[in-house]
């Protein structure tokens, strides 16, 4: 098996202002499956095409945004190896006991220079409602709403993105699939897998800021269908349907009821570790982000949680 180390984004914990409204949005509109509610009120959900028990955690709070993004690593030995590499890189790590999230093994947490909390984990229980493994149908239960298949990636805003990039690449084994020159700073799209990106960072003075969580759809027809769902339910749309030059994905950006930006995303090229980094210049960045419009909009740049 070639894919080792950090495998993929495993979960994202999103802060919401009203849990009831958030559940309707993420369960009924996006189409995630509601898995459980913890004794502390956190609600756990998953995409219909995900094997693990959850990938999205909602926490009711006074302020929207992202608490943490967790990456699943190959196995427990890998978790130990990466912990040692982080400590050798002078990253302060903390340890979260198994069971703090239901069905999840021990986790190793750390704050990156952009101010975001990241975690690594190796073990999560499999879902009872995951993809079938014997004579599998294409889905176990017919998907609802926008029919998102999985939590795919996040784009985060914060300072010190070059340092963040070095940490992700030198310590965690990510590669820079695409990079945009912003005149002295860089936005980066990083991958740990065959995907065009698993996480992306854009420079911004506000530490720990959350631009969007993206959910994968099977094809561009599903992106258009998701737009229909948004219109029917009066979900505020930020941009789209359109396409990214960066990653080549078809996309719509929209907002959850408390202002967190979501994305539905389909396509994107297959990345291999020997691919060169695709580079974008400042004057072509509009085309990189919004390939059809070829210009950025103010809301995309200035609205985040
Ligand atoms: Fe995205």
């Amino acid at each position: 098996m070639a894919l080792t180390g950090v495998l993929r984004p495993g979960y994202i914990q999103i802060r919401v202002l009203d849990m009831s409204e958030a559940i309707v949005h993420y369960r009924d509109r996006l189409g995630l499956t509601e898995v459980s509610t913890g004794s502390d009120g956190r609600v756990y959900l998953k995409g219909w095409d995900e094997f693990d028990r959850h990938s999205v955690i909602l926490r009711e709070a006074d302020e929207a945004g992202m608490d943490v993004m967790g990456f699943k690593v190959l196995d427990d030995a890998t978790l130990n190896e990466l912990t040692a590499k982080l400590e050798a890189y002078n990253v302060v790590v903390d340890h979260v006991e198994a069971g703090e999230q239901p069905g999840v093994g021990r986790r190793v947490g750390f704050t990156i220079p952009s101010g975001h909390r990241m975690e690594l984990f190796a073990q999560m229980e499999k879902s009872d409602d995951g993809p079938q493994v014997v004579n599998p149908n294409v889905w176990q239960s017919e998907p609802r709403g926008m029919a998102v298949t999985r939590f795919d990636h996040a784009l985060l805003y914060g300072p010190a993105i070059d340092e963040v990039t070095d940490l992700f690449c030198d310590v965690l084994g990510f590669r820079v699939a695409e990079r945009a020159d912003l005149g002295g700073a860089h936005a980066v799209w990083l991958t740990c897998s065959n995907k065009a990106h698993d996480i992306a960072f854009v420079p911004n003075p506000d530490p720990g800021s959350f631009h969007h969580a993206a959910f994968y759809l099977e094809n561009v027809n599903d992106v258009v269908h998701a737009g229909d769902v948004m219109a029917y339910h009066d979900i505020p749309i930020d941009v789209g349907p359109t396409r990214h030059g960066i990653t080549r994905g078809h996309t719509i950006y929209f907002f959850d009821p408390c202002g967190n930006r979501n994305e539905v995303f389909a396509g994107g090229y297959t990345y291999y570790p020997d691919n060169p980094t695709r580079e974008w210049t400042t004057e072509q960045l509009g085309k990189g982000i919004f390939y059809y419009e070829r210009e950025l909009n103010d809301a995309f740049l200035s609205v985040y949680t």
Side-chain angles (χ1 to χ4, degrees), residues 37-94:
T37 301
S39 57
D40 60 2
R42 283 182 294 174
V43 173
Y44 298 81
L45 305 104
K46 71 177 287 290
W48 61 263
D49 205 21
E50 294 179 303
F51 284 103
D52 286 352
R53 87 176 284 285
H54 63 255
S55 58
V56 174
I57 307 150
L58 303 177
R59 182 174 75 84
E60 195 168 71
D62 295 332
E63 192 176 28
M66 183 193 85
D67 282 333
V68 58
M69 184 168 171
F71 289 90
K72 192 169 193 186
V73 306
L74 179 64
D75 54 23
D76 215 49
T78 304
L79 186 56
N80 288 335
E81 287 167 19
L82 291 172
T83 304
K85 287 182 75 174
L86 285 164
E87 288 175 328
Y89 203 76
N90 292 321
V91 176
V92 176
V93 303
D94 61 81

Side-chain angles (χ1 to χ4, degrees), residues 153 197 212 214 253 263:
H153 66 267
H197 63 334
H212 68 264
Y253 290 112
E263 177 185 23

Side-chain angles (χ1 to χ4, degrees), residues 20-263:
S20 299
E21 287 182 1
I23 289 172
V24 169
H25 177 82
Y26 286 94
R27 179 191 62 199
D28 300 338
R29 307 301 177 239
L30 271 72
L32 297 172
T33 300
E34 187 176 352
V35 177
S36 66
T37 301
S39 57
D40 60 2
R42 283 182 294 174
V43 173
Y44 298 81
L45 305 104
K46 71 177 287 290
W48 61 263
D49 205 21
E50 294 179 303
F51 284 103
D52 286 352
R53 87 176 284 285
H54 63 255
S55 58
V56 174
I57 307 150
L58 303 177
R59 182 174 75 84
E60 195 168 71
D62 295 332
E63 192 176 28
M66 183 193 85
D67 282 333
V68 58
M69 184 168 171
F71 289 90
K72 192 169 193 186
V73 306
L74 179 64
D75 54 23
D76 215 49
T78 304
L79 186 56
N80 288 335
E81 287 167 19
L82 291 172
T83 304
K85 287 182 75 174
L86 285 164
E87 288 175 328
Y89 203 76
N90 292 321
V91 176
V92 176
V93 303
D94 61 81
H95 298 270
V96 183
E97 286 182 12
E100 194 277 341
Q101 287 181 21
V104 179
R106 68 186 179 94
R107 293 135 59 194
V108 173
F110 51 99
T111 302
I112 59 176
S114 56
H116 300 94
R117 179 174 173 82
M118 297 286 144
E119 292 177 351
L120 305 176
F121 69 102
Q123 304 294 332
M124 188 185 292
E125 285 176 5
K126 291 284 182 279
S127 171
D128 297 333
D129 191 35
Q132 296 169 333
V133 293
V134 179
N135 304 323
N137 285 298
V138 294
W139 25 255
Q140 176 150 215
S141 309
E142 186 171 353
R144 291 181 311 282
M146 301 179 207
V148 300
T149 66
R150 65 171 185 245
F151 165 55
D152 186 79
H153 66 267
L155 191 155
L156 306 176
Y157 273 15
I161 299 308
D162 287 349
E163 292 172 47
V164 170
T165 304
D166 289 345
L167 193 161
F168 269 79
C169 293
D170 297 346
V171 181
L172 301 178
F174 283 63
R175 292 168 193 270
V176 183
E178 307 214 25
R179 175 169 46 211
D181 179 0
L182 304 181
H186 298 96
V188 289
W189 288 258
L190 307 177
T191 179
C192 61
S193 66
N194 252 173
K195 291 158 56 188
H197 63 334
D198 290 294
I199 190 167
F201 292 95
V202 172
N204 186 282
D206 285 343
S209 298
F210 176 46
H211 189 272
H212 68 264
F215 299 89
Y216 199 72
L217 295 174
E218 289 191 307
N219 56 60
V220 66
N221 295 329
D222 289 348
V223 175
V224 174
H225 172 258
D228 292 344
V229 173
M230 292 174 209
Y232 186 85
H233 292 287
D234 281 328
I235 294 169
I237 292 177
D238 181 21
V239 186
T242 185
R243 188 172 195 180
H244 295 304
I246 296 168
T247 74
R248 297 191 202 145
H250 291 273
T251 179
I252 305 176
Y253 290 112
F254 56 103
F255 293 100
D256 78 4
C258 63
N260 290 306
R261 188 185 281 96
N262 296 161
E263 177 185 23

